[in-house]
Amino acid sequence: NGDLLLRRGGDPRSLRDKLRAFRRKANSEDLLPLEEGDGLHRCTLDSGLCERFGAEPVDPKAAFSLFIDTRHDDVYLADTSRHVLRAYPANGAPAVSPSGSFAFPNQITLIDDELYVANTNNQTIDIVTAKEKFGSVIESISMIVPEAHAAGHRWPSRFARIGDDWWVNLYLFDSDWQYQRRIELPENADPIAIVSFGGHVLVSDWYGDRVHRLTRDGHWLGDFTSDGLTALLQVNREHRLWW
């Protein structure tokens, strides 16, 4: 409804915690924040006031994706490092038990009252129930296609519906999830977000510190640039080089 849902507090994970996440091992830490006032909060922009989201504190560290159904303010969370999905009503009280038939779930999107999930380590896009029997798999679509497999790209993490097609990381599928071809991106591109914008498609490239601009049928047009974005990406490149 115009409020902002955000996570407050630091990220005190140890190197061992981060290595466990990098290796896709399950996060065994509980959801409770370490400090009072940390965790998920719902903030009203007009007043600047923030209230804890839910009757119980929730602090899903290393959750990689969030989707809000703006019709009802229902919140869906991919608790990635714990390998589960979570659902909350607008007031944050847990509506249902978490669904755990996933392996490192990334992006989630609600389409026609069904959740589409990048079930990353199972190498599938899963369509699951959003309400009754939350998280039950309706259909599981394999993302292992010969070209992607040969390139070592076996972990779908980001996807978008562009017109009648599906874009999944570097690859294009038709409306029936039949593989079409590789999207025209530089060799080492690593998409972390895909959005339709201004008649084109923008792809945020984590590895290259770039935002690519493409036609809606997947042809590369060069970088999407602005003065502010160029300055920001230059800072990112300098940090990457330093590390």
Side-chain angles (χ1 to χ4, degrees):
N1 70 346
D3 288 354
L4 185 68
L5 186 65
L6 57 83
R7 177 182 176 273
R8 299 171 64 177
D11 186 356
R13 287 179 297 158
S14 67
L15 177 60
R16 189 175 75 170
D17 292 334
K18 294 176 181 179
L19 286 173
R20 186 170 60 237
F22 180 77
R23 296 177 61 196
R24 309 304 197 260
K25 301 297 183 182
N27 180 355
S28 59
E29 296 179 6
D30 61 36
L31 286 170
L32 294 176
L34 294 179
E35 302 290 342
E36 182 70 26
D38 286 357
L40 284 181
H41 286 70
R42 182 170 178 161
C43 303
T44 302
L45 297 182
D46 289 341
S47 66
L49 297 177
C50 296
E51 295 183 349
R52 191 174 67 194
F53 183 68
E56 299 293 333
V58 177
D59 190 10
K61 304 178 188 69
F64 284 7
S65 187
L66 179 80
F67 186 88
I68 299 176
D69 180 2
T70 55
R71 300 169 303 174
H72 312 293
D73 282 354
D74 292 334
V75 175
Y76 299 97
L77 181 74
D79 196 347
T80 310
S81 66
R82 292 183 178 85
H83 302 256
V84 299
L85 300 184
R86 302 183 188 276
Y88 302 93
N91 63 8
V96 292
S97 298
S99 176
S101 58
F102 305 95
F104 218 75
N106 273 270
Q107 183 176 342
I108 51 175
T109 299
L110 187 71
I111 301 175
D112 296 329
D113 292 321
E114 296 173 341
L115 279 175
Y116 287 64
V117 184
N119 196 355
T120 303
N121 276 26
N122 283 338
Q123 303 170 33
T124 59
I125 298 291
D126 288 355
I127 305 173
V128 307
T129 55
K131 295 295 184 182
E132 187 175 352
K133 297 182 180 179
F134 170 66
S136 298
V137 177
I138 300 169
E139 184 178 1
S140 186
I141 304 146
S142 174
M143 290 291 107
I144 303 178
V145 297
E147 187 176 358
H149 192 275
H153 300 152
R154 307 173 193 172
W155 289 352
S157 58
R158 297 297 172 202
F159 62 91
R161 183 72 181 263
I162 307 295
D164 292 329
D165 296 327
W166 292 98
W167 291 40
V168 183
N169 287 62
L170 297 168
Y171 301 96
L172 185 68
F173 297 77
D174 67 16
S175 58
D176 295 321
W177 294 99
Q178 298 300 307
Y179 175 62
Q180 300 298 300
R181 58 182 172 80
R182 190 184 191 277
I183 296 166
E184 290 182 11
L185 284 171
E187 185 66 26
N188 292 323
D190 185 12
I192 200 169
I194 305 170
V195 296
S196 177
F197 179 79
H200 294 127
V201 180
L202 302 184
V203 177
S204 178
D205 180 357
W206 182 88
Y207 184 85
D209 283 319
R210 305 163 68 179
V211 178
H212 304 284
R213 186 167 60 94
L214 299 96
T215 64
R216 291 174 65 85
D217 57 357
H219 297 293
W220 189 68
L221 298 173
D223 286 4
F224 176 80
T225 60
S226 70
D227 290 343
L229 180 61
T230 299
L232 176 64
L233 293 178
Q234 181 58 35
V235 171
N236 286 356
R237 294 186 188 105
E238 291 171 359
H239 286 175
R240 187 185 295 272
L241 286 171
W242 188 89
W243 284 105

